[in-house]
Amino acid sequence: MGLFLAVAAGDLQTMGPAQPELHSNAINLVIGDESFVRTHGRPVPPGLDEDERIRIHLRYVEELLRRGPVEALAPALRAARARNLDRLSDYIRRGEFPRNDDHPDPRRPTFIDARGRICAVGYLLEQDMGRAAAEAIASMHKYAFLREIHSPVWAAWAKSSGLTFRELETIQPEYATRDTSPTQTFATLERVDGASQVVAAASIPFSHRGLGVRMEMFGQYLAPWLSDGSEVWYMGMYGAFSANLTDPAAGAGISNSDVGLFFVRNFPTWGRMILRNGFIVPTSTWGQRAGEEPEGAIAQRLNDATLVQPPTTGFRFSASQMLIYPSGDCCSVRIDVGADVLPFLGSATRVTPRIGAGLGVDLPFRSSSPMFAITVEGTMAWLPDAEGALVRKGQVAASVRLLGQRHTWWKRLRPGIMTAVPIGPGLPAWVLGLDLQLLVGPTSYSSCWYETTCAW
């Protein structure tokens, strides 16, 4: 308690001389990008996911420190060292790494960021000294390298940690200024965002024509796709289908399925681009004519309404751009364009275009998890009527989703609620939707490609 009060009084002591001009463009001030180079035998590739870069560094340093000599340490320090390395392993598994909120350096240590995510060394200190002590240090030294921290709490804890000052500096990552990993999942726009996930959704149109249920699965990345001589695109699989529980007279059925590949490119400074190339599989089980789709299916996802046809085969294309707010991952804007070409096998080929846009915002609860993600979205599609002519139909929607942490399976569950107003002939006046998103695989784009074991 006395040490904590000393921090609040003025941080009078220091571990070493202050060096305000310190900079590093690598992941670590002491060893640079040695962790990635030694692990994979090549330089850090463009577009590598930031969380994965941090994870690779921390795993490398953990293994390095576990091999370090401990014979000269007193028993208490030896036990503290083992305890802190176990804590570091837990921190890596949690995968909740901070970001440089607003420091002008492109990479900078960040003790605790605006969303309450704490750095690796800060986490070790927090386990012994408590969150209040960590936040007191962060209030004075948010962007400091360890050698720049003037704090008796920090000095005392470092001496008792069982780790040398250089070893602690070797752990400390430098975090990127901008984040290209948004947490928003849009309710009515494309769900393809790169994460390995299963989404089950149901929507109730407030009319007489029943319930629409949607199931979507987006798989793990298969491999990087080489572009311009560097690994900047990544490829994955997806699959989706809809069940429609309509009124008793119309019965129930499963729509045509949508399966294919998606490609994602991360742009480290401003966002990501997503391409989707799918194949419409004729699995429909009802015999309604085009233009007589059950409202439940259209209500859940207007963009997928062209799939709700008699058995047909075709292609589905889309391109999405996600723009990330440059000061962290609190906000994103998504713009979608796409088209279906169907039927591929049939008397005529029809192209049905669609467009959409949305804004997503995370509520910035400092030092708190879970959080909430809010989206506002709009879509427009040109869908066939009973005579085959294309009719413009639209939808405006809003959603709220609960965001949990990722280090346990139940915290990967992300329940959401959506309300939408479809606009166009043959659509319900109002829709209420519920869905449940489950992150089922590695939480970053390249976990299974760059690592020998996936970061589940």
Side-chain angles (χ1 to χ4, degrees):
M1 184 64 173
L3 289 177
F4 173 68
L5 292 175
V7 174
D11 293 333
L12 301 177
Q13 298 184 7
T14 178
M15 290 289 299
Q19 300 182 33
E21 298 303 318
L22 286 176
H23 297 278
S24 174
N25 291 323
I27 193 67
N28 181 259
L29 180 66
V30 177
I31 63 172
D33 287 316
E34 176 184 319
S35 55
F36 189 92
V37 174
R38 290 289 184 89
T39 301
H40 300 290
R42 54 198 170 113
V44 178
L48 176 63
D49 178 77
E50 174 68 8
D51 280 351
E52 189 62 16
R53 188 173 183 181
I54 297 167
R55 186 179 292 108
I56 290 171
H57 169 74
L58 293 177
R59 283 180 177 165
Y60 174 82
V61 174
E62 180 196 353
E63 294 174 4
L64 196 66
L65 297 184
R66 287 191 185 277
R67 297 195 300 266
V70 297
E71 293 78 9
L73 293 177
L77 289 178
R78 193 178 303 178
R81 180 187 182 92
R83 184 167 57 249
N84 280 314
L85 291 179
D86 288 343
R87 290 168 175 170
L88 179 60
S89 181
D90 292 339
Y91 177 82
I92 297 168
R93 282 195 295 271
R94 288 180 58 180
E96 296 170 23
F97 308 131
R99 292 296 187 269
N100 171 356
D101 291 316
D102 51 21
H103 196 281
D105 282 357
R107 303 197 71 84
R108 191 74 179 183
T110 306
F111 209 85
I112 300 176
D113 71 6
R115 289 184 56 186
R117 297 173 295 192
I118 194 167
C119 74
V121 177
Y123 177 79
L124 302 183
L125 179 143
E126 177 190 37
Q127 300 308 296
D128 285 324
M129 309 302 296
R131 182 72 178 194
E135 290 183 343
I137 294 174
S139 68
M140 299 292 293
H141 306 287
K142 178 174 180 176
Y143 295 120
F145 291 89
L146 295 185
R147 65 185 67 174
E148 298 175 312
I149 295 178
H150 305 175
S151 165
V153 170
W154 158 245
W157 176 84
K159 290 177 181 178
S160 66
S161 68
L163 300 164
T164 68
F165 182 69
R166 181 177 176 83
E167 288 174 334
L168 290 169
E169 282 199 310
T170 304
I171 294 173
Q172 184 186 38
E174 277 75 75
Y175 302 100
T177 303
R178 299 176 182 182
D179 197 327
T180 56
S181 300
T183 53
Q184 298 86 23
T185 297
F186 290 90
T188 59
L189 302 181
E190 290 273 17
R191 290 197 202 270
V192 181
D193 61 7
S196 299
Q197 59 185 283
V198 174
V199 181
S203 282
I204 305 170
F206 285 82
S207 67
H208 67 285
R209 301 193 66 179
L211 173 70
V213 180
R214 181 76 172 165
M215 174 71 73
E216 297 168 299
M217 294 164 284
F218 301 102
Q220 170 58 38
Y221 279 87
L222 302 178
W225 182 37
L226 302 185
S227 176
D228 300 326
S230 60
E231 296 162 7
V232 294
W233 288 89
Y234 295 89
M235 179 173 66
M237 300 179 295
Y238 77 89
F241 65 89
S242 294
N244 300 278
L245 310 177
T246 63
D247 61 50
I254 298 177
S255 74
N256 294 302
S257 300
D258 178 18
V259 297
L261 299 175
F262 61 90
F263 303 86
V264 178
R265 178 172 180 177
N266 274 344
F267 295 91
T269 58
W270 54 274
R272 80 171 50 126
M273 178 181 291
I274 305 162
L275 303 179
R276 177 183 181 185
N277 185 353
F279 189 64
I280 299 172
V281 181
T283 56
S284 179
T285 59
W286 62 66
Q288 285 136 321
R289 299 189 306 274
E292 294 185 355
E293 303 90 346
E295 287 182 358
I298 299 179
Q300 169 58 28
R301 225 157 156 74
L302 180 63
N303 287 348
D304 293 326
T306 54
L307 296 177
V308 188
Q309 302 284 327
T312 188
T313 305
F315 287 108
R316 164 156 284 205
F317 304 96
S318 69
S320 302
Q321 181 63 57
M322 298 190 73
L323 307 174
I324 314 303
Y325 181 68
S327 181
D329 58 352
C330 73
C331 313
S332 63
V333 174
R334 181 160 193 157
I335 301 171
D336 293 341
V337 295
D340 291 346
V341 180
L342 71 160
F344 180 62
L345 300 175
S347 57
T349 298
R350 183 170 57 243
V351 179
T352 59
R354 59 187 183 275
I355 59 175
L359 170 67
V361 179
D362 285 355
L363 293 184
F365 293 136
R366 182 178 175 84
S367 305
S368 175
S369 181
M371 298 177 57
F372 291 91
I374 299 175
T375 68
V376 178
E377 307 161 45
T379 58
M380 185 177 297
W382 284 260
L383 306 178
D385 60 14
E387 286 72 39
L390 295 182
V391 178
R392 185 176 63 184
K393 301 181 181 183
Q395 188 176 59
V396 292
S399 71
V400 178
R401 183 177 301 277
L402 177 67
L403 304 179
Q405 298 172 338
R406 299 178 176 181
H407 61 284
T408 56
W409 73 266
W410 62 271
K411 289 187 176 180
R412 292 169 177 248
L413 292 173
R414 296 181 166 185
I417 184 169
M418 176 268 288
T419 182
V421 180
I423 303 170
L427 299 180
W430 180 49
V431 175
L432 179 66
L434 302 173
D435 68 21
L436 186 63
Q437 177 190 32
L438 172 62
L439 300 178
V440 295
T443 55
S444 64
Y445 288 92
S446 48
S447 297
C448 282
W449 175 254
Y450 290 114
E451 294 294 310
T452 55
T453 58
C454 298
W456 296 87

